[in-house]
Amino acid sequence: MADGEEPMAVDVGSTGDWDGRWSHVQKFLERSGPFTHPDFEASEETLQFLLDTCKILVIGAGGLGCELLKNLALSGFRHIHVVDMDTIDVSNLNRQFLFRSKDVGRPKADVAADFVNSRVPGCHVVPHFKKIQDFDESFYRQFHIIVCGLDSIIARRWMNGMLLSLLVYEDGVLDPSSIIPLIDGGTEGFKGNARVILPGMTACIDCTLELYPPQINFPMCTIASMPRLPEHCIEYVRILQWPKEKPFGDGVALDGDNPEHIQWVFQKSLERAAEFNITGVTYRLTQGVIKRIIPAVASTNAVIAAACATEVFKIATSAYIPLNNYLVFNDVDGLYTYTFEAERKDNCSACSQVPQKLQFPPSAKLQEVLEYLTENASLQMKSPAITATLEGKNKTLYLQTVASIEERTRPNLCKTLKELGLADGQELAVADVTTPQTVLFKLNFTS
Amino acid sequence: MCVQCLMLSLCVCVCVCVCVCVCVCVCCSFFLSCESIGKNRAQAATEFLQELNSDVSGNFVEESPDKLLDNDPEFFHRFSLVIGVQLPESTCQRLGAVLWSAGVPFLVCRTYGLVGYMRLVVKEHTVVESHPDNALEDLRLDQPFTELRNHISSYHLDSMDKKDHSHTPWIIVIAKYLEKWYNEHNCQLPKNYKEKEVFRQLIRDGIRKNENGAPEEEENFDEAIKNVNTALNPTKISSAVDDIFNCVQCENITSQTSAFWMMARGVRDFVQNEGNGSLPVRGTIPDMIADSDKFINLQNVYREKALQDAAVVSKHIQSHLQAVGKPSESISEQDIKLFCKSAAFLRVVRCRSLAEEYSTDTFQKDTITSCMDSPDSEMVLYLMLRSVDRFYQQHSRYPGVYNYQVEEDISKLKLCVNSLLQEHGLSVNVKDDYVHEFCRYGTAEPHTVASFLGGAAAQEAIKLITHQFVPFNNTFIYNAMSQTSATFQL
């Protein structure tokens, strides 16, 4: 609408704020309106809060993260931290627009911060080239709002668990000042979703775990002896042939970013496919299977990150009632959105504070408990470590993630719960990568 | 407005703008910087956007769209797609008229406060590869073609050894049990839930048992049971495809007929003759538990039939090409094969012109009225956008831009709303809250709303250019307050 406005004098002061710079934002903060949040008060102070005080954490500096940083910076947020453990890959460049070819190999968080800081004067993005698990409560507690653009459900659940652990209850009543809102965005191809989570109040990530589709892993027997699809042939080479033939030396792992490695897998996959008269193995498919590539589209990321940033703005300023609480988007056929309120799960293992139960006969083997923890749709643990207090001492029953302990505790899997000395009503503590806090289960013996 | 998504994907892009970058532009655009202030906006934006993709050729014209329409409307004819962003209503209408007669698709985009709006204007947009999300398989179990029938009869489930029995594709399993069912049910497919349940039990009973009488683990039988519901759907042509066959473009083949309609006619001829009412066989089957040989052999039966059918379709197409004096190479075999494979999912999108939408004779009165039965429907946002345009026509400015204007503009805007409704004979209720809210917006363009719409628009543009996936028809409204959206055909 610049036609109706007069060009203004250019005087970029030291704060980087020239006249009218935030006029678009100001209209929503300094004018009252019929649809504003009940708590909203038109004031000039809210803009100052955004510019000077409000602290936002962006998790992920990839497809969603780049968009989020841009959106927040152009909405008036100036104190932004971004965490990402990855470095830039050439395949990122089609949508992660804060990066250029010259940046390949550098940490995403660093390059993203540099770009935004120089393009948007006054904005101060602080990068962290780290994993989210490298930080503890003291780090996360400093933020007003956390917004995620992650590519992993495990990471989301961990973040979810972290914010739940920050909640303070006084006499069973939740202290609202301990709540840090979590805005979560996710995309896959032409589909995406954005959700607002108020830990302790609204549905959390684990409440709706069953919404997430299971990841495709082909059964071993198909790969080993009965391939039908080109993907089966590629997985055969990756899982069985590579470790056996060690084509690039002992202990050299298959690197999806090494074209020589991919070429080797590609050739071997063609041979495998020829044996079974399977067509369709291509270099591109080989790369896609090895790197577990899920198609990513710039426009979906733009849409979802925009929706998320709008919610960050609403919550930070109380300008409008935030999304309650889940938005689904799909533009395969026209444009489709669906907005609904995801419900809290009464016995959610992450947020309900209801003690989790494990019901098994004493003759059940520990292996069965392990399978339950990983296969149950509401738990979906990845590699749970189970400990129990026995004879006054903390005993690790099974732990997978450290090789030496795994070997030592593996025999326990074949033992029955009775043989392991567990009693009815006993508490088992389970740790897993999906949560920063140990989950307590109560063991109930069935007859 | 966020056009970076487009730049990331297109090859040639031209920005037309007479505006000079002002402070306000710079704060909402990521592709302008402080140094841009004072420069022509199209030029500055083009320069920054070029960074995104060196393969994209970007150009700019330092001229207003209105001037171009006055002096050189044919300028717009050379484009595959024209996207109009934040255009005043009069410019939009003029440009719309030029592009409609030139047959150039036109995508109108605007944001106004927390509202996003897109309008697609294209006479006819054909899609072969629509890539539907939930496509049913084309298995022909209800009417197996000869080669499939022969292949099925080469299996003798009862005399197979354990390994073969449990590695027989579920398609064969269902086919075999269907034969049993036909014997007892007068060759009628299981029709309702009850019958399908009985059929599933029939298959379940067929699972081999071990020496103790307990059922063996036969995953292929489990798969068969799971797929009974969809596998027994009668092979049928959808109404969307039927409509395509009934179009006049499919009926009257001339030398001007496009490849799409030529191929549609070829498939229609096939359906009416060799296909016996069915489309050419698609030729793909889903992955399923089976040993490699059985699977590949079954897959090849479908594949070869598909090739055969495509060859027949091709002959029909050739005869039409010949009849209108066009060489047979005009349409490649590869294109014909793809068309046949996609035949069940063909789509044609036709959008009404802006003139039709705006004329008091042809506007969509019923659609607007019924949507407004819910007074908070996104339709009210459409009516408000039309009203602020009316305000602009009358007052040469938009409402509420400056703080002191907000209060007094509310009643002025309300008059515009009322005159709009009256002129169109619309007796709907536009709540005062929306009139107030739109004055409050004062043409603000918050970045996140622009970014949402930019992303959505970019993808629609890509759909139009690639003819893959299906564009919306024809008005899309996004409400960032409620995070809801709606599509209307206006």
Side-chain angles (χ1 to χ4, degrees):
Chain A
M1 304 281 112
D3 286 55
E5 292 181 27
E6 292 160 356
M8 291 173 176
V10 180
D11 178 17
V12 182
S14 56
T15 57
D17 273 346
W18 52 93
D19 237 6
R21 182 179 185 189
W22 302 110
S23 66
H24 292 266
V25 172
Q26 280 169 298
K27 286 180 176 137
F28 293 96
L29 302 180
E30 293 170 16
R31 297 179 174 186
S32 61
F35 296 112
T36 57
H37 194 289
D39 294 344
F40 177 75
E41 268 176 44
S43 146
E44 283 173 16
E45 285 164 22
T46 321
L47 177 63
Q48 288 316 120
F49 168 73
L50 276 190
L51 295 171
D52 302 335
T53 316
C54 192
K55 231 165 155 181
I56 309 288
L57 175 62
V58 175
I59 309 215
L64 283 168
C66 286
E67 291 276 350
L68 284 168
L69 289 170
K70 160 187 72 79
N71 292 344
L72 294 170
L74 291 179
S75 300
F77 294 93
R78 286 185 155 166
H79 298 282
I80 306 171
H81 286 235
V82 61
V83 176
D84 195 308
M85 62 185 198
D86 266 338
T87 55
I88 297 164
D89 177 67
V90 66
S91 65
N92 300 145
L93 301 180
N94 78 322
R95 64 201 179 283
Q96 299 174 23
F97 59 89
L98 300 177
F99 313 142
R100 302 282 176 267
S101 325
K102 63 176 171 53
D103 300 318
V104 173
R106 284 185 62 199
K108 289 187 178 183
D110 293 347
V111 179
D114 283 346
F115 195 117
V116 175
N117 291 339
S118 65
R119 184 60 62 85
V120 186
C123 189
H124 188 54
V125 180
V126 177
H128 301 277
F129 175 37
K130 289 225 162 75
K131 297 203 287 287
I132 49 174
Q133 292 87 351
D134 292 337
F135 296 103
D136 63 17
E137 310 87 59
S138 58
F139 175 76
Y140 292 108
R141 224 179 243 126
Q142 64 182 300
F143 298 102
H144 291 95
I145 301 169
I146 297 180
V147 56
C148 292
L150 288 164
D151 60 358
S152 123
I153 296 168
I154 294 175
R156 281 186 175 85
R157 292 176 70 185
W158 193 92
M159 207 53 234
N160 184 61
M162 167 54 70
L163 294 187
L164 288 167
S165 75
L166 298 179
L167 296 177
V168 172
Y169 289 85
E170 263 151 53
D171 295 323
V173 177
L174 177 57
D175 172 11
S177 68
S178 66
I179 300 174
I180 299 179
L182 174 65
I183 318 288
D184 179 62
T187 64
E188 192 171 317
F190 298 107
K191 300 188 181 130
N193 61 267
R195 59 194 298 188
V196 172
I197 295 171
L198 301 173
M201 289 180 63
T202 64
C204 78
I205 301 277
D206 282 50
C207 288
T208 56
L209 206 51
E210 285 130 61
L211 280 181
Y212 291 109
Q215 298 187 297
I216 299 178
N217 278 312
F218 303 116
M220 208 48 197
C221 56
T222 301
I223 295 173
S225 49
M226 253 173 264
R228 300 175 295 268
L229 302 178
E231 288 87 341
H232 300 158
C233 303
I234 297 164
E235 286 286 76
Y236 172 83
V237 177
R238 177 181 79 86
I239 297 172
L240 295 171
Q241 223 172 327
W242 178 285
K244 196 160 145 212
E245 289 181 37
K246 306 185 218 250
F248 290 85
D250 237 330
V252 177
L254 174 51
D255 177 4
D257 293 317
N258 184 331
E260 282 180 49
H261 289 200
I262 306 271
Q263 187 63 236
W264 187 87
V265 175
F266 172 50
Q267 290 306 324
K268 294 292 174 185
S269 303
L270 282 171
E271 287 167 26
R272 173 91 174 151
E275 258 182 74
F276 293 87
N277 293 312
I278 296 172
T279 58
V281 174
T282 61
Y283 183 90
R284 198 164 143 223
L285 183 68
T286 305
Q287 203 174 25
V289 170
I290 289 177
K291 292 179 79 169
R292 296 284 189 258
I293 291 178
I294 301 166
V297 179
S299 56
T300 319
N301 284 333
V303 166
I304 294 300
C308 288
T310 298
E311 293 309 307
V312 175
F313 182 83
K314 287 181 191 170
I315 292 174
T317 61
S318 290
Y320 288 87
I321 298 172
L323 166 67
N324 182 21
N325 54 42
Y326 205 117
L327 164 71
V328 169
F329 173 84
N330 182 342
D331 63 355
V332 163
D333 185 343
L335 298 119
Y336 169 78
T337 65
Y338 177 59
T339 311
F340 68 102
E341 184 179 342
E343 283 175 7
R344 280 189 86 176
K345 200 146 152 246
D346 290 329
N347 61 343
C348 174
S349 59
C351 79
S352 72
Q353 302 194 300
V354 164
Q356 298 298 300
K357 286 203 197 82
L358 285 173
Q359 289 180 299
F360 289 92
S363 57
K365 303 211 173 74
L366 187 63
Q367 173 73 41
E368 289 171 55
V369 177
L370 192 75
E371 277 166 11
Y372 173 78
L373 292 171
T374 51
E375 285 163 26
N376 178 273
S378 321
L379 294 174
Q380 289 189 48
M381 293 192 167
K382 293 299 155 198
S383 44
I386 310 173
T387 57
T389 307
L390 288 167
E391 291 159 7
K393 281 187 271 192
N394 214 4
K395 186 174 172 189
T396 303
L397 298 175
Y398 183 68
L399 190 147
Q400 210 174 336
T401 48
V402 177
S404 55
I405 305 179
E406 198 281 327
E407 215 181 309
R408 178 170 61 77
T409 55
R410 201 185 306 152
N412 288 342
L413 291 176
C414 302
K415 296 198 181 136
T416 65
L417 302 179
K418 189 167 173 204
E419 281 169 352
L420 288 167
L422 298 172
D424 185 30
Q426 169 126 33
E427 240 179 29
L428 294 178
V430 180
D432 185 55
V433 70
T434 50
T435 164
Q437 286 192 298
T438 312
V439 184
L440 289 174
F441 287 85
K442 195 156 174 209
L443 180 61
N444 282 128
F445 280 157
T446 58
S447 46
Chain B
M1 170 71 63
C2 269
V3 292
Q4 75 221 40
C5 281
L6 276 165
M7 293 301 290
L8 290 171
S9 5
L10 303 180
C11 282
V12 179
C13 191
V14 177
C15 292
V16 175
C17 189
V18 71
C19 309
V20 166
C21 288
V22 293
C23 322
V24 184
C25 304
V26 171
C27 76
C28 27
S29 173
F30 200 69
F31 293 91
L32 296 172
S33 78
C34 300
E35 289 83 51
S36 312
I37 296 178
K39 276 171 106 168
N40 171 266
R41 193 164 63 175
Q43 178 177 10
T46 305
E47 283 162 11
F48 276 108
L49 289 166
Q50 293 260 216
E51 296 169 18
L52 291 176
N53 188 339
S54 53
D55 291 332
V56 175
S57 150
N59 295 292
F60 64 92
V61 171
E62 209 173 312
E63 188 57 272
S64 80
D66 276 305
K67 272 273 159 61
L68 278 172
L69 286 165
D70 288 335
N71 302 328
D72 181 24
E74 258 135 66
F75 166 80
F76 296 103
H77 293 195
R78 75 190 72 168
F79 296 103
S80 322
L81 169 68
V82 172
I83 305 175
V85 181
Q86 306 290 63
L87 298 175
E89 186 185 298
S90 54
T91 314
C92 208
Q93 293 286 328
R94 288 182 71 195
L95 187 50
V98 168
L99 296 175
W100 184 262
S101 13
V104 175
F106 183 29
L107 180 62
V108 181
C109 301
R110 79 192 284 195
T111 63
Y112 200 95
L114 292 180
V115 176
Y117 164 89
M118 281 200 295
R119 171 61 154 101
L120 177 60
V121 193
V122 59
K123 267 188 200 144
E124 179 184 280
H125 178 81
T126 60
V127 182
V128 175
E129 294 178 88
S130 58
H131 305 288
D133 255 341
N134 296 308
L136 286 174
E137 302 287 342
D138 184 23
L139 303 177
R140 306 291 167 115
L141 284 170
D142 61 325
Q143 40 171 78
F145 46 91
T146 311
E147 294 85 346
L148 179 58
R149 208 190 296 272
N150 292 342
H151 187 73
I152 293 167
S153 53
S154 73
Y155 279 85
H156 304 281
L157 286 180
D158 296 335
S159 57
M160 287 170 119
D161 73 22
K162 206 165 101 169
K163 188 149 193 254
D164 280 333
H165 192 261
S166 57
H167 288 92
T168 296
W170 67 254
I171 291 177
I172 303 288
V173 172
I174 288 189
K176 284 297 196 189
Y177 282 88
L178 196 57
E179 279 169 17
K180 280 208 176 96
W181 175 274
Y182 279 159
N183 286 336
E184 287 151 37
H185 290 84
N186 199 18
C187 294
Q188 296 288 314
L189 279 172
K191 279 194 247 335
N192 49 39
Y193 176 77
K194 217 165 131 197
E195 291 192 347
K196 284 184 180 175
E197 235 340 278
V198 178
F199 185 66
R200 274 188 280 264
Q201 190 56 44
L202 197 64
I203 298 177
R204 211 171 278 127
D205 292 338
I207 296 177
R208 293 269 174 91
K209 296 188 175 51
N210 63 18
E211 353 27 89
N212 303 326
E216 300 270 28
E217 177 117 18
E218 300 207 278
E219 274 184 88
N220 60 329
F221 271 71
D222 294 338
E223 279 186 340
I225 292 164
K226 240 198 306 199
N227 281 288
V228 161
N229 246 346
T230 48
L232 298 180
N233 284 343
T235 303
K236 206 164 59 120
I237 299 184
S238 74
S239 55
V241 175
D242 243 342
D243 288 343
I244 290 174
F245 290 154
N246 293 331
C247 281
V248 61
Q249 294 94 319
C250 198
E251 180 62 42
N252 302 339
I253 303 297
T254 71
S255 56
Q256 305 304 313
T257 300
S258 68
F260 178 90
W261 291 110
M262 203 53 103
M263 290 191 282
R265 178 57 179 270
V267 174
R268 189 183 96 173
D269 291 345
F270 174 89
V271 170
Q272 289 170 352
N273 296 290
E274 299 88 352
N276 289 314
S278 297
L279 292 170
V281 166
R282 194 178 310 156
T284 57
I285 58 173
D287 189 29
M288 58 193 72
I289 301 288
D291 64 52
S292 315
D293 278 343
K294 292 192 181 63
F295 181 83
I296 304 285
N297 290 339
L298 179 61
Q299 191 180 53
N300 284 339
V301 169
Y302 283 92
R303 268 192 190 157
E304 272 149 31
K305 179 68 166 126
L307 284 173
Q308 247 182 58
D309 286 355
V312 175
V313 169
S314 184
K315 282 217 179 68
H316 285 293
I317 295 173
Q318 295 311 322
S319 71
H320 286 292
L321 284 172
Q322 221 177 39
V324 298
K326 288 183 102 168
S328 47
E329 302 83 56
S330 319
I331 302 179
S332 73
E333 288 306 308
Q334 198 183 25
D335 284 349
I336 295 173
K337 283 202 186 102
L338 181 62
F339 195 90
C340 289
K341 189 167 172 207
S342 315
F345 311 120
L346 304 170
R347 296 281 294 273
V348 178
V349 173
R350 290 189 186 90
C351 304
R352 295 192 344 140
S353 69
L354 289 177
E356 286 173 276
E357 175 187 343
Y358 278 67
S359 154
T360 46
D361 293 328
T362 55
F363 79 99
Q364 293 283 36
K365 188 170 182 178
D366 290 341
T367 306
I368 297 175
T369 311
S370 62
C371 287
M372 287 302 289
D373 278 343
S374 329
D376 297 306
S377 148
E378 283 77 10
M379 183 58 80
V380 75
L381 303 175
Y382 168 76
L383 293 173
M384 285 314 307
L385 288 172
R386 292 285 303 264
S387 302
V388 298
D389 282 342
R390 195 162 269 243
F391 188 104
Y392 184 77
Q393 263 168 19
Q394 284 173 24
H395 304 277
S396 300
R397 64 176 179 85
Y398 288 94
V401 174
Y402 296 100
N403 286 343
Y404 72 85
Q405 293 171 327
V406 180
E407 203 55 53
E408 50 185 67
D409 281 350
I410 292 176
S411 45
K412 292 199 181 93
L413 182 56
K414 186 148 188 203
L415 289 174
C416 294
V417 174
N418 291 339
S419 72
L420 175 76
L421 296 179
Q422 206 180 45
E423 263 174 51
H424 291 78
L426 285 164
S427 42
V428 298
N429 175 34
V430 173
K431 287 190 202 168
D432 283 346
D433 281 348
Y434 290 102
V435 182
H436 181 176
E437 184 74 356
F438 270 69
C439 279
R440 179 178 185 245
Y441 288 160
T443 73
E445 289 173 42
H447 179 80
T448 58
V449 183
S451 192
F452 185 104
L453 201 73
Q459 197 54 39
E460 295 310 301
I462 292 167
K463 289 180 190 175
L464 289 162
I465 292 166
T466 60
H467 287 265
Q468 294 197 38
F469 299 92
V470 184
F472 72 108
N473 183 0
N474 58 35
T475 301
F476 173 77
I477 308 261
Y478 166 62
N479 181 349
M481 293 185 280
S482 56
Q483 298 285 21
T484 55
S485 74
T487 301
F488 305 118
Q489 250 186 51
L490 295 175

